[in-house]
Every structure is written in structure tokens, then in C-alpha cells.
Amino acid sequence: MNRDFVAGFLGLLLAMAYYAMAANIQNSQLADDVGPGGLPKIYGVLLAVFSVLLMVRARTSPAQAGGKMRAVAEELFAAKRGLGILVIGIGYIVTVPYLGYPLAIALVIAIAALYNGGQISARLAGIAVLGAFGLWFVFVFLLHIGQPAGIWADLIEGLRR
Amino acid sequence: MIDLSGLLNALLASPMIIPAAFAGIAWGILGGALPGISPSITMALLLPFTYGADPTAAVVLLASTYLGAEYGGSIPAILIRTPGTNSAAATVIDGYAMKEQGKAGEALGISLYSTLLGSIFGVALLITLTQPLAAVALAFQPTSYVGLGVLGLSVIASLAGESLIKGMMAGFIGLMIATVGTDPVTGNNRFTFDDPELLSGIPPILVMVGIYAVAELFEQASHPGWQQTNTADASIKMPDALMRARLRVSQIIGAGIGFIEGLTPGGGGTIAAFLSYNEAKRWSKKPEEFGHGSPEGIAAPESANGAVSATALIPMMGLGIPGSNSAAVLLGGFLIHGMTPGPMLFTKHYDVVMGLYAGKVISLFALLVVAYLILRPCIWLVNRPKHYLMAFIFALVLSGVYAIHNSLFHVGIALAFGVIGYAMKYFRIPTLPMVLGVVLGFMVESNYRRALVLSDGDHMTFTEDPIAATLLALAAAFILISLVRHFRDSTKAQEEKTPA
């Protein structure tokens, strides 16, 4: 199996799913001749056509097919490095409403640096704290852009009561 | 004709242009100097910050960043043999050789001087050529916009690189993304999954930040750190009169090729840099020095890069068609402020256009000043451990995307597009056609359907409008030429592989 074949297959799946959704778009009484689903259906069909063409080309002229896929385990290992950053990002989205911006962004800096090859040290902690303070200073203090405050204000208020 | 009073008025009306030009150049040099951080990524990182800014200052900031990054890419190319940007790859050859001969300062000076000359040439052409291109604005009807959009999309054929099929796939995926949200004619919801945050569609800025910045961070996570430089005391030494005379021909070649490549969709700095390097070698009196520390080997690609950073804006501003990633991000900067680049830009936002021109002129002075001041911080930055830099950039992306609409959902969308961009890189699918589809999709669909409503569904309306007919014919010619070129190259490659 080569990369282009897999890319074509994924494109075909996307085209089919998209077409199915486009076909289900409800027409309103205000609709023109083309309708809200008209062009999306055409896009879906054309993506499917080009995806199939890519799959056929990958089968018929492997020389142009963008190289072989490695074993699944190897592919996952190669992608893992990059996707680890994604996990850190998702972790940020999930935790920032509770932890608040300064703490959550400091953790992002520290964890992403560790993940990219850094080591646990006082320097790492210092850079995370300074980096978070710098970003907070620019966004919240200078530009007056609100960032999630977290549960701290409510927590302190609750403790006072 | 250059409207000097217009430039001056723009400057007086929006004095923030001056600090924006200086800040853009400084940010661009720093970003361009970091290997792996291309001009488009450097610009994409800035996009969220421009949201609340004065529109003129915002586009000047982005355009100046583009120029700064083109120069900044040559710093690590010369000092650590690692081009900061793709377009600085040609500078590595002779730049690093000069550094090895103890002439790092001279090499940096030649790079700065050549980028500056190329940019002056490019800015002059930008100011004189863009407006005539957009002069037909008042005659544009919905049918004409469809023609323009289709012409823009036909550019996909030439941007597809090694595979036309993959380029078309990317373009259609971009068009699909553009259909998310409220239907432009009926108001029906499409592909929103009943989520109110998707009703207004997916903002192109999120696609650009995801595809360019986030995907690159994913990519960088699997690469080792770059080399460090011991040239902490390097200082820029501008070429003397004798050297300036020697560089002249190579700079003219570089600026000329940069101009053409800037106008050509999909051309861009990298192709311009290598083409001008080869041509400068061909026309040089000392071609044997190329590859061994020839000053002309730096001058030609750097003047090409400087010219491209200005002339790439001509089709983007005049027609609304970005021919390169950096031009696409700048277009995103216009869109954020509710301005659509293209013919109407000059009638609706003439002040912003004049402000951008004034900002481009100021950025030339800014480059000269900031390049001297920022060299040491740049070397310091390049010598920082990569894991800290990447972690900080990631934190900046997360904070910046949230700042656009105070939405964590949008942060998630940008991350999702990071994954898509990362996958596209893996499958070697070009990303620019997708961005083009996202940017042009709404314009094509809304005007196509409006034109059909006005003509009672008669498709001949597109041939009755001379502008639309001309643009559609051009688009057809564009696709045909690209197809012929593509099949000719494929056949040639096949023949070369077949044993005689």
C-alpha cells in the first residue's frame, strides 16, 4: 500500500460523508434553482472523482505514488511525536476553564518543553512561569483581552463565606 | 502613477503605521531567523494580535513582517548553514562559505543590502501596477465575481506542485470548508451540527493558523534541535563602492526574476531565489567562485526575495488571489477587518491601500535600522534551546487564537486544522489550494447563485458579461496550460525511467 492510495481512500470517505450530509440539507421556500445543497453536492462528487483518480494512479503507476506506507506501528510512532503536541493542546482546552489562564499556559509551556526534549529543572519551571507572565502581561494587561479566569475567584469567594 | 499626496495623507491619518512597520520588521526578522518558522508562519502567529488593531496598522504590520522574515531567513543561513526560511536555502551555499572564510559580517551586509534593493524595486512596482489591475472595479457584477473566483481557483492547477490531482483534491476540500455555516441565499444552516459557534462559518484565520503554525509545531516536535553559532560578535558590514559595483548585475537579475515570480501564482521566493542564483552564476564574470563564497551568490537570491515580498501582493490586492502562503495570510489580515481584497478594495478602502503603500515604504527604512539593532538578539534567540522556543510559540498560538473571539471552541478548530495540515504534509498534498478554496469559496458560491437568480437561472449570463467571459476564458486557458505541462512532465519522467 502506498501513501497516495491511502490519501485517495481517505479523500473518498470524506467525499461520501460530505455528500450524504449535503443531500440531507433541507430546502427552504426561499431557495433558488441551485439551492443550499447544490454546490456542496457538486464539490462532494468532484472530490470523490479526484480521490478515485488518485487511487487508480497509485495502483497503475506506483513510481508517482509518493512512497510506500510503512508498517502501521511505524506510522503511529512517527506521528506520535507530533500528535503529542495535539494532546497537550486538548489538555489546555479542557483544563483552562478550571485552572485559569496563567496556570494553564505555564503548564503548557512546561509540558511542551519537556515533550520536545527538555528536562525537569528549576530553569524549566522559571521559564514556564516567566513565559506565562509575559503572555498574561501582553494579552490581559496590555491588550485588555480577557482570558479564562478559572475557578480561583469563586473558590476564594466561597472560602471567605 | 504614484499618488504621493495620498501616501502622505495616509501616513498622517494613521500614524500607527510607523510603529507597525518597525514592529513588523523586527518580528519578521526574529521569526525568519528561527529555522522551520517560515514567513507565513511568522505572519500567522501575528494574525490574532491584529484583530483589535487599526486596520491600516494591522495590514502594514503583516506586510512588514513578510519583508523582515525574508531577510531574517538569511541570518541562520549564513551563520549556521541552516536556512531560516525555504527561500533562504540558496543563500546558504555562498553565505556559509563566506562565514567559514571569516566574512560573516560582509555576507550579512550583502544580504541586507540586496534584500533592501530588491524590496525598493518591488515596492515601486507594487504601487504603480496594483491600481491599474483593479481599475475595472466599478464594472464588476455578480457574474464578474464568479469569473474572478473561478480564475482564482484555476490557480490551483498551477499550485499543485508534483500532483495536479492532489492539488484539485485540496482545493475542493477548501471549498467544502467554505460551505460550513449559514447559506448565503436562503439562510439555511449547513454542516453546523446544530452548534451555534459554526453558524457564521469557519473563519479563514483559524484555517491559516492551524495549517501553517500548528501543523509546523507538530512537525518540529519530531525534528532534532538545530545547530548553534559561535559568531556571537558578528556585525553587519555593508558593501563598499567596489563591491556594490560588482553586485549590480546579480541584483538586477534577482530583482527581475523576483518580480516575475512574485506575480506568478505558486512561484514565490524559493523558486525565485534558486532561479536568480543560477542566472547570476551564468552572467557572472567569476562563475567559478559560486559555491565557494561568491558575494553575487548571496546578492541574487536575496534581492529576488526582497522583490517577491512586495510583488506577491499585486495579484492578492488587485484580484484577491493570493499566489503564495504569505500573501494568503496577509489576505487573512484584510478579511479579519472586514475588507475583501480584490477590485473593490481600491474604492471601498482606498485609505487602507494608501496606508499599506506608505507602510511598505517605511518598512524599507525600518529594515535598514532594525537589521542592525536586532542582529545580536537574533543570534541569542537562535542559540536558545529549541524545546523552549517551540513550547513558547505553542503557548502563543493557543493564547492568540482564543483572543480572536474569546472562544475555546475556536482553539479546538485551529488544533484540528493543525492535524489536517500535518496529515496533508505527510501525504504530500499541497496546502495552499485548500486555503485558496476556503478564501474564495463563499465569494464564488454567493455570486454564482445571485447571478442565476438575476438571470432566471440562465447560465448564458456568464458569457454575456464581457468581464466574466474574459476571466472564465483565462481560467480555462490556465487549466489547459497546466494540464498540458503536467502531462508533458509526467510523460518525460516516465520516458527517463524506462530503460532504452
Side-chain angles (χ1 to χ4, degrees):
Chain A
M1 201 186 296
N2 58 50
R3 285 182 203 222
D4 280 7
F5 188 85
V6 176
F9 181 69
L10 292 175
L12 185 61
L13 286 184
L14 173 68
M16 284 160 59
Y18 180 85
Y19 185 91
M21 283 192 280
N24 280 326
I25 294 173
Q26 293 202 329
N27 230 340
S28 81
Q29 290 185 331
L30 298 168
D32 50 326
D33 289 348
V34 180
L39 281 182
K41 280 193 271 190
I42 294 173
Y43 297 157
V45 169
L46 287 170
L47 178 63
V49 168
F50 282 106
S51 301
V52 170
L53 279 176
L54 188 64
M55 289 164 74
V56 170
R57 196 189 69 170
R59 281 282 179 225
T60 54
S61 64
Q64 287 184 45
K68 280 195 170 180
M69 292 278 286
R70 292 164 290 185
V72 175
E74 280 181 65
E75 292 300 330
L76 287 176
F77 182 77
K80 194 182 76 178
R81 294 292 316 164
L83 295 182
I85 299 290
L86 173 70
V87 172
I88 297 170
I90 293 170
Y92 172 78
I93 293 173
V94 172
T95 58
V96 72
Y98 306 102
L99 297 180
Y101 176 70
L103 180 56
I105 210 71
L107 284 172
V108 164
I109 295 173
I111 296 168
L114 278 174
Y115 186 74
N116 275 310
Q119 291 184 330
I120 295 175
S121 63
R123 190 182 180 204
L124 177 97
I127 286 173
V129 170
L130 272 178
F133 175 75
L135 288 170
W136 175 87
F137 184 79
V138 170
F139 282 99
V140 181
F141 188 78
L142 280 184
L143 300 175
H144 302 290
I145 297 168
Q147 295 277 358
I151 56 167
W152 305 113
D154 291 342
L155 199 67
I156 292 166
E157 190 65 25
L159 287 175
R160 274 186 187 166
R161 285 177 189 170
Chain B
M1 194 64 196
I2 299 174
D3 179 6
L4 285 175
S5 62
L7 294 182
L8 198 62
N9 286 340
L11 200 58
L12 292 172
S14 188
M16 283 304 287
I17 290 171
I18 299 170
F22 275 81
I25 289 287
W27 177 260
I29 295 176
L30 288 173
L34 292 176
I37 306 297
S38 66
S40 51
I41 298 170
T42 312
M43 294 164 75
L45 288 171
L46 266 187
L47 273 178
F49 290 94
T50 64
Y51 196 70
D54 166 58
T56 313
V59 291
V60 167
L61 182 74
L62 291 168
S64 307
T65 301
Y66 188 5
L67 172 61
E70 288 294 357
Y71 165 70
S74 71
I75 297 173
I78 291 166
L79 298 182
I80 60 171
R81 207 182 186 176
T82 305
T85 58
N86 289 338
S87 53
T91 308
V92 170
I93 306 166
D94 287 291
Y96 189 70
M98 280 188 78
K99 187 251 176 182
E100 287 293 272
Q101 294 160 10
K103 298 179 192 167
E106 282 91 335
L108 289 167
I110 291 166
S111 168
L112 174 60
Y113 176 61
S114 304
T115 305
L116 200 60
L117 285 190
S119 309
I120 291 170
F121 178 68
V123 169
L125 289 170
L126 169 72
I127 295 173
T128 47
L129 292 184
T130 312
Q131 199 161 358
L133 193 65
V136 285
L138 293 174
F140 265 55
Q141 299 165 12
T143 43
S144 321
Y145 280 105
V146 175
L148 185 61
V150 173
L151 177 64
L153 293 170
S154 73
V155 166
I156 287 170
S158 73
L159 299 182
E162 62 179 52
S163 171
L164 184 67
I165 299 172
K166 288 183 186 175
M168 297 303 282
M169 282 173 69
F172 283 113
I173 294 171
L175 287 171
M176 289 172 166
I177 294 164
T179 60
V180 174
T182 309
D183 177 57
V185 175
T186 62
N188 283 29
N189 296 338
R190 301 186 300 183
F191 311 106
T192 57
F193 305 100
D194 294 326
D195 192 319
E197 296 221 51
L198 283 175
L199 285 179
S200 53
I202 295 176
I205 179 177
L206 300 182
V207 179
M208 289 177 195
V209 172
I211 291 283
Y212 295 131
V214 180
E216 187 58 40
L217 288 168
F218 291 171
E219 182 80 19
Q220 288 290 331
S222 49
H223 288 190
W226 52 75
Q227 196 186 327
Q228 301 204 330
T229 178
N230 54 6
T231 325
D233 55 347
S235 57
I236 295 171
K237 289 183 188 132
M238 285 302 237
D240 56 22
L242 205 65
M243 181 59 80
R244 287 202 299 273
R246 182 181 167 181
L247 299 176
R248 201 161 296 147
V249 174
S250 54
Q251 285 166 334
I252 292 170
I253 291 170
I257 292 175
F259 162 59
I260 295 165
E261 288 297 328
L263 286 182
T264 312
T270 313
I271 299 170
F274 278 103
L275 271 179
S276 48
Y277 182 87
N278 285 336
E279 286 308 304
K281 185 178 178 181
R282 202 149 68 93
W283 291 91
S284 171
K285 286 177 184 165
K286 297 176 181 174
E288 71 284 356
E289 283 188 16
F290 276 70
H292 305 286
S294 167
E296 294 145 282
I298 301 172
E302 287 305 316
S303 39
N305 287 340
V308 166
S309 72
T311 56
L313 309 190
I314 296 174
M316 189 278 288
M317 288 173 65
L319 298 173
I321 301 171
S324 68
N325 291 325
S326 304
V329 178
L330 183 57
L331 187 141
F334 276 97
L335 294 178
I336 283 176
H337 292 276
M339 300 178 285
T340 308
M344 292 309 284
L345 186 69
F346 290 80
T347 44
K348 283 186 176 171
H349 305 284
Y350 186 74
D351 54 332
V352 176
V353 174
M354 283 295 125
L356 177 59
Y357 290 166
K360 286 294 284 180
V361 174
I362 291 163
S363 69
L364 300 173
F365 294 103
L367 178 63
L368 197 57
V369 176
V370 176
Y372 275 96
L373 298 176
I374 213 165
L375 182 63
R376 292 226 173 135
C378 246
I379 294 171
W380 179 85
L381 195 66
V382 171
N383 279 338
R384 288 315 91 204
K386 183 185 161 188
H387 48 268
Y388 288 133
L389 284 170
M390 291 303 144
F392 187 78
I393 292 173
F394 188 48
L396 183 66
V397 168
L398 294 174
S399 312
V401 171
Y402 178 83
I404 299 170
H405 289 122
N406 285 5
S407 164
L408 284 171
F409 182 75
H410 281 182
V411 178
I413 290 181
L415 287 176
F417 276 102
V419 176
I420 292 169
Y422 187 61
M424 288 173 84
K425 267 189 183 181
Y426 176 77
F427 288 113
R428 295 170 194 164
I429 297 173
T431 51
L432 185 54
M434 186 176 109
V435 173
L436 211 55
V438 173
V439 166
L440 295 174
F442 183 81
M443 180 181 87
V444 171
E445 184 180 11
S446 56
N447 284 293
Y448 171 70
R449 288 171 60 191
R450 269 184 210 129
L452 287 182
V453 168
L454 291 172
S455 66
D456 287 330
D458 181 9
H459 276 84
M460 291 308 285
T461 186
F462 296 104
T463 55
E464 285 158 10
D465 170 14
I467 296 175
T470 309
L471 292 171
L472 288 171
L474 273 174
F478 219 111
I479 292 170
L480 203 66
I481 290 167
S482 300
L483 279 173
V484 169
R485 197 178 56 193
H486 179 75
F487 285 117
R488 195 186 55 202
D489 291 349
S490 299
T491 316
K492 202 174 162 188
Q494 206 78 7
E495 280 172 5
E496 279 170 5
K497 275 181 187 152
T498 312

